[in-house]
């Protein structure tokens, strides 16, 4: 905590992130809340989460922000679209659902207890998988022509990295799909750099 306090006060430090998950003996919420909101380049602080919820300027979580930038870059129609997010974490699912909602999409946020998941996912024009369960999303669960964003990253016993989506089969059905690795991951890193730049500019002394 003392280290974070020093970094918060250090004007040469523009951004702070904590590598998660933390060891069990360290309270994750306490550490995140100890970061100055203006330096919270992960976008996890409750102040930033509240600002996102209410549509105010803030540092946004990097992975959801990266997904939104990808969708925008490829001119994906969001207003009026039906979006389904599978996975309700504070890091990805919840903030992404809010961003999609603010962009004009109709959003369904699913979790591990959602019943008849396939019924929900097959309605989606935009389907996001962010659970951490390999092969969860099969081709039968995807609406033909949907845009599928795979946020999951899982390491199989063979050492292979795969997402939450059965990529090869779903790719035959979807209009567009992100690979794992090489899809959302690089965008997360890019948004971390963008957040750091935004934090640096907001903390910079005003010119006189």
């Amino acid at each position: 905590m003392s280290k974070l306090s020093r970094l918060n006060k250090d004007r040469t430090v523009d951004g702070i992130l904590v590598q998660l998950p933390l060891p069990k003996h360290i309270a994750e919420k306490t550490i995140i809340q100890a970061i100055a909101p203006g330096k919270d380049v992960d976008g996890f602080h409750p102040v930033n989460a509240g600002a996102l919820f209410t549509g105010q300027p803030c540092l946004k979580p990097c992975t959801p922000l990266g997904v939104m930038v990808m969708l925008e870059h490829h001119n994906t129609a969001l207003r009026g679209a039906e979006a389904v997010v599978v996975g309700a974490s504070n890091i990805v699912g919840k903030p992404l659902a809010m961003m999609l909602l603010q962009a004009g999409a109709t959003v369904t946020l699913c979790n591990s207890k959602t019943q008849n998941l396939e019924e929900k996912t097959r309605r989606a024009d935009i389907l996001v998988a962010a659970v951490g369960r390999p092969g969860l999303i099969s081709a039968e669960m995807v609406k033909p022509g949907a845009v599928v964003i795979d946020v999951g990253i899982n390491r199989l016993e063979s050492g292979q990295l795969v997402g939450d989506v059965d990529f090869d089969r779903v790719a035959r059905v979807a209009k567009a799909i992100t690979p794992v690795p090489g899809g959302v991951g690089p965008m997360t890193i890019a948004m971390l750099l963008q957040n750091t730049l935004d934090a640096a500019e907001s903390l910079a002394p005003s010119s006189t």
Side-chain angles (χ1 to χ4, degrees), residues 87-102:
S89 71
N90 293 331
I91 294 173
V92 180
K94 290 178 185 177
L96 179 56
M98 187 54 58
M99 292 181 199
L100 288 165
L101 186 64
Q102 292 171 356

Side-chain angles (χ1 to χ4, degrees), residues 56-72:
Q56 304 301 310
C58 63
L59 293 171
K60 299 176 180 177
C62 301
T63 298
L65 183 58
V67 170
M68 295 301 293
V69 169
M70 289 175 66
L71 292 171
E72 179 182 357

Side-chain angles (χ1 to χ4, degrees), residues 23-105:
K24 291 182 179 180
H25 68 282
I26 300 177
E28 181 178 303
K29 289 183 180 179
T30 301
I31 296 299
I32 290 174
Q33 291 177 13
I35 299 171
K39 294 187 177 186
D40 168 38
V41 290
D42 266 331
F44 296 160
H45 193 284
V47 168
N48 284 319
L52 173 60
F53 183 83
T54 54
Q56 304 301 310
C58 63
L59 293 171
K60 299 176 180 177
C62 301
T63 298
L65 183 58
V67 170
M68 295 301 293
V69 169
M70 289 175 66
L71 292 171
E72 179 182 357
H73 178 76
H74 290 284
N75 298 313
T76 305
L78 296 178
R79 186 163 297 278
E82 183 140 5
V84 174
V85 180
V86 184
S89 71
N90 293 331
I91 294 173
V92 180
K94 290 178 185 177
L96 179 56
M98 187 54 58
M99 292 181 199
L100 288 165
L101 186 64
Q102 292 171 356

Side-chain angles (χ1 to χ4, degrees), residues 8 13 52 66 73 92 96 113 119 135 141 146 157 191 203 207:
N8 285 336
V13 175
L52 173 60
H73 178 76
V92 180
L96 179 56
K113 298 177 179 62
E119 178 183 318
M141 299 173 69
E157 290 183 2
M191 294 305 100
L203 292 171
S207 56

